[in-house]
């Protein structure tokens, strides 16, 4: 039995090596540039991002960073789903002509969204909610307050802002990838690259 497995593996290895030998002799065709009468191969390489290892001042900073990574990982999918839903709603609204149709459409979409997202979002912590508000701004280009005001009206936006303020959040929070939220931006890049 062992001999058969060994011979089978050797046979597979032989086929793989012969296939590679055949493709190694074939010429590789690439684009070229002519610079001062000299032909130089022109090959476009994939972008490679390099990330420095995160260094922590102390154990407390490491725990804080780990907690932030966990929170961003939990909330980022919701922010991206929100951006997708906003695009779907905007497309649906652009097809409608009268205000009555638009209000009915928004009412139906609001009910669908509440049924889909109310329970999972209720289980977020206050910190995760604050991060979600900022990430919605990052993904959609509009603050949560602006989105509610555009879709539901000023009064509704005012009420939701009041509820958010009760919990110490602000729907008008903007995402600042350069200064305030640079650490969150780096975490999102690492998540997108599959490194976290």
């Amino acid at each position: 039995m062992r001999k058969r497995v060994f011979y089978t593996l050797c046979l597979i290895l032989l086929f793989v090596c012969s296939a590679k030998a055949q493709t190694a002799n074939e010429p590789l065709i690439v684009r070229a540039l002519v610079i001062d009468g000299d032909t130089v191969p022109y090959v476009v390489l994939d972008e490679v991002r390099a990330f420095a290892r995160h260094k922590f001042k102390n154990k407390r900073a490491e725990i804080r960073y780990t907690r932030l990574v966990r929170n961003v990982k939990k909330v980022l999918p919701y922010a991206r789903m929100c951006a997708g839903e906003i695009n779907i709603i905007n497309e649906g609204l652009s097809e409608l002509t009268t205000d009555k149709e638009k209000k009915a459409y928004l009412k139906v979409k609001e009910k669908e969204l509440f049924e889909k997202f109310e329970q999972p979002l209720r289980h977020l912590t206050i910190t995760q909610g604050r991060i979600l508000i900022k990430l919605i701004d990052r993904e959609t280009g509009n603050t949560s307050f602006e989105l509610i005001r555009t879709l539901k009206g000023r009064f509704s936006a005012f009420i939701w802002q009041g509820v958010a303020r009760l919990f110490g959040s602000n729907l008008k929070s903007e995402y600042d990838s350069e200064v305030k939220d640079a650490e969150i931006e780096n975490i999102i890049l690492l998540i997108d690259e599959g490194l976290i």
Side-chain angles (χ1 to χ4, degrees):
M1 181 68 181
R2 288 183 183 174
K3 286 184 180 181
R4 283 187 180 181
V5 172
F6 176 73
Y7 289 133
T8 306
L9 288 175
C10 288
L11 189 61
I12 292 171
L13 184 62
L14 181 67
F15 283 128
V16 170
C17 289
S18 67
K20 285 186 179 180
Q22 289 173 356
T23 58
N25 295 332
E26 295 176 10
L28 179 64
I29 300 173
V30 297
R31 293 181 181 172
L33 294 174
V34 178
I35 302 173
D36 297 329
D38 191 19
T39 305
V40 180
Y42 176 75
V43 180
V44 178
L45 301 175
D46 293 333
E47 178 183 355
V48 176
R49 293 185 184 198
F51 297 97
R53 285 209 178 269
H54 202 76
K55 295 181 182 178
F56 303 104
K57 294 179 184 175
N58 52 33
K59 188 71 174 170
R60 179 179 280 169
E62 183 178 359
I63 291 170
R64 186 187 147 292
Y65 180 78
T66 305
R67 190 175 295 139
L68 183 62
V69 168
R70 185 184 69 230
N71 289 338
V72 171
K73 277 180 150 180
K74 184 169 185 176
V75 169
L76 184 61
Y78 291 119
R80 291 188 171 157
M81 283 188 270
C82 175
E85 292 291 335
I86 292 296
N87 290 336
I88 291 169
I89 290 171
N90 286 336
E91 287 174 12
L93 285 174
S94 67
E95 295 173 2
L96 302 174
T97 54
T98 65
D99 286 339
K100 188 175 182 179
E101 290 174 337
K102 289 179 181 181
K103 282 185 182 182
Y105 176 75
L106 284 175
K107 198 169 195 174
V108 168
K109 288 307 264 182
E110 181 181 12
K111 186 177 180 184
E112 288 175 11
L113 292 174
F114 264 98
E115 288 174 2
K116 187 175 180 181
F117 294 111
E118 183 179 16
Q119 286 306 314
L121 293 180
R122 280 188 183 268
H123 297 292
L124 296 179
T125 64
I126 292 173
T127 304
Q128 290 168 349
R130 288 180 186 150
I131 294 171
L132 177 61
I133 289 169
K134 289 187 177 204
L135 291 183
I136 287 173
D137 181 41
R138 178 187 187 269
E139 296 296 322
T140 63
N142 294 317
T143 64
S144 300
F145 183 83
E146 292 168 352
L147 292 172
I148 295 170
R149 188 179 69 204
T150 304
L151 297 173
K152 295 291 291 167
R154 291 179 185 271
F155 183 73
S156 219
F158 175 75
I159 295 297
W160 283 108
Q161 173 69 354
V163 171
R165 296 304 274 169
L166 283 174
F167 292 101
S169 298
N170 184 1
L171 294 179
K172 296 179 182 179
S173 295
E174 293 183 357
Y175 186 76
D176 180 14
S177 63
E178 299 296 323
V179 181
K180 290 182 194 173
D181 303 316
E183 196 169 32
I184 293 174
E185 185 67 25
N186 288 334
I187 291 170
I188 292 171
L189 292 175
L190 290 171
I191 289 171
D192 289 342
E193 291 292 323
L195 299 173
I196 294 183

